[in-house]
Amino acid sequence: MKQVLERAYAKLNLSLDVTGRRSDGYHEMVMIMQTVSLFDELRFTLRDSGPVRASSNLRFVPNDQRNLAVRAVQRYLEAVGEPERGVFIEIKKTIPVGAGMAGGSADAAAALRGMNALFGGRLSREELLDLAAGVGSDVAFCMAGGTALAKGRGELLTPLPPLPDCLFAICKPAFSISTPELFKKLDSAPVRRHPDTAGMLRALEEGQLRELCHRLYNVFEDVDDRRMRTVARIKSRLLDFGALGTLMTGTGSAVFGVFTREDAAREACRVLEKEVGFCRMARPVPAIEL
Ligand code: C5P
């Protein structure tokens, strides 16, 4: 019986653009993504035989194939030709669910890294990234994380210069938002404004945090949905506490502010935790070697 521990870091979108619809039902995306120091912890136990099952500290996290980490482990076992092996996955969830922070995808990516550790690095970086993209659109990014440009469904990745040192205050209102539902709403009206991705890439190259923060943009914030009023209200509160910029991540419902002063970020979290229900401070996490 072999065991391995992995951390699954949450992601934030610094930008999110939808540039078209594809014939496979997915959307063409252009996104700048960042992993942050809010993470789930996963323990993988490998057995000679048996099912692949998960357990979690949260009751509503599924323990079977509905859980992306379970699917990732199954794909890995098939890929290395050992589908009869059993794996038990213990998940300590900290990343809020239904938040747009890729919690499920981060767990799946951690599963692929963990399995590759248990099997002595049997799959190459390229093979792992291929498997990841098949499990979910955000899983490939979550494999290495850091700061990256993601295109296509989200699986075509280019590493970017690291984000200048800063702090995030991440707030999640009580409601969650379903990703397919928000994509459908987006399809019903043309996207009128797009992020200035080129300007953001320039700001990252030059290490200009302020320039970057002025350009944070997510096309999903413009979707006609009542819940975006709450998102706008939280963004406005984060600015009250001195955030350089604010954004909803992914399809929400989490919203973050970027701060340079730790005391300001801390105070924002203290107050907004009471107002919003969930608010945590986090820092950018650099890419991990695969
Ligand atoms: O790939 P994943 O299962 O994470 O995607 C969840 C859902 O999000 C898809 O079923 C689709 O509705 C939507 N999606 C999309 N275009 C993308 C990524 C996700 O339409 N690039």
Side-chain angles (χ1 to χ4, degrees):
M1 204 170 76
K2 287 203 289 186
Q3 284 195 336
V4 70
L5 291 169
E6 285 285 334
R7 278 185 180 183
Y9 291 102
K11 68 93 180 158
L12 295 178
N13 281 91
L14 302 179
S15 73
L16 191 158
D17 201 2
V18 178
T19 55
R21 281 179 82 173
R22 301 161 38 136
S23 51
D24 61 4
Y26 282 86
H27 293 74
E28 213 49 60
M29 318 281 290
V30 180
M31 309 182 274
I32 300 178
M33 322 259 263
Q34 174 68 53
T35 38
V36 298
S37 58
L38 193 69
F39 54 87
D40 295 344
E41 287 168 288
L42 294 91
R43 184 204 304 269
F44 302 90
T45 306
L46 178 65
R47 303 205 169 94
D48 290 338
S49 64
V52 179
R53 281 284 175 272
S55 79
S56 164
N57 57 319
L58 296 185
R59 262 182 303 114
F60 52 85
V61 172
N63 64 0
D64 57 15
Q65 279 178 3
R66 287 166 298 164
N67 189 314
L68 282 189
V70 170
R71 267 188 254 169
V73 167
Q74 287 173 333
R75 297 263 182 117
Y76 186 93
L77 292 174
E78 282 159 23
V80 296
E82 306 212 23
E84 74 289 351
R85 303 293 289 263
V87 177
F88 185 52
I89 313 169
E90 289 161 87
I91 308 175
K92 185 175 161 216
K93 269 218 104 42
T94 303
I95 306 173
V97 175
M101 297 178 71
S105 301
D107 291 352
L112 293 174
R113 290 194 305 267
M115 292 309 289
N116 213 34
L118 285 170
F119 281 88
R122 217 184 279 182
L123 295 189
S124 69
R125 181 193 160 89
E126 283 64 39
E127 289 169 320
L128 284 175
L129 287 171
D130 263 5
L131 274 188
V135 176
S137 298
D138 284 338
V139 183
F141 166 74
C142 293
M143 288 300 291
T147 314
L149 180 69
K151 291 187 174 181
R153 279 169 53 222
E155 84 287 15
L156 305 175
L157 299 164
T158 311
L160 296 174
L163 193 66
D165 190 33
C166 62
L167 296 125
F168 299 105
I170 307 167
C171 304
K172 175 171 180 300
F175 60 83
S176 295
I177 299 180
S178 139
T179 297
E181 182 198 338
L182 214 59
F183 269 107
K184 256 192 221 115
K185 286 199 170 181
L186 186 97
D187 289 337
S188 64
V191 177
R192 290 181 198 285
R193 278 193 67 195
H194 295 273
D196 172 15
T197 307
M200 295 187 77
L201 296 178
R202 213 164 36 240
L204 275 172
E205 286 291 344
E206 293 168 358
Q208 297 283 357
L209 186 65
R210 271 169 203 280
E211 291 298 315
L212 186 86
C213 285
H214 290 157
R215 291 177 172 81
L216 299 176
Y217 201 88
N218 179 346
V219 296
F220 281 116
E221 285 184 7
D222 299 332
V223 165
D224 182 20
D225 186 303
R226 231 163 20 92
R227 292 168 293 191
M228 294 309 151
R229 287 186 218 153
T230 305
V231 166
R233 219 163 25 239
I234 299 171
K235 289 176 62 148
S236 154
R237 290 296 282 141
L238 284 161
L239 291 172
D240 291 342
F241 287 94
L244 299 185
T246 63
L247 200 68
M248 179 175 83
T249 175
T251 50
S253 61
V255 181
F256 65 92
V258 183
F259 293 82
T260 46
R261 284 181 37 203
E262 185 164 344
D263 55 346
R266 201 172 290 285
E267 182 61 7
C269 283
R270 192 185 66 79
V271 176
L272 294 182
E273 170 92 43
K274 289 181 203 139
E275 291 182 16
V276 180
F278 175 98
C279 194
R280 293 281 185 292
M281 207 161 74
R283 287 182 184 277
V285 169
I288 36 184
E289 287 285 327
L290 283 184

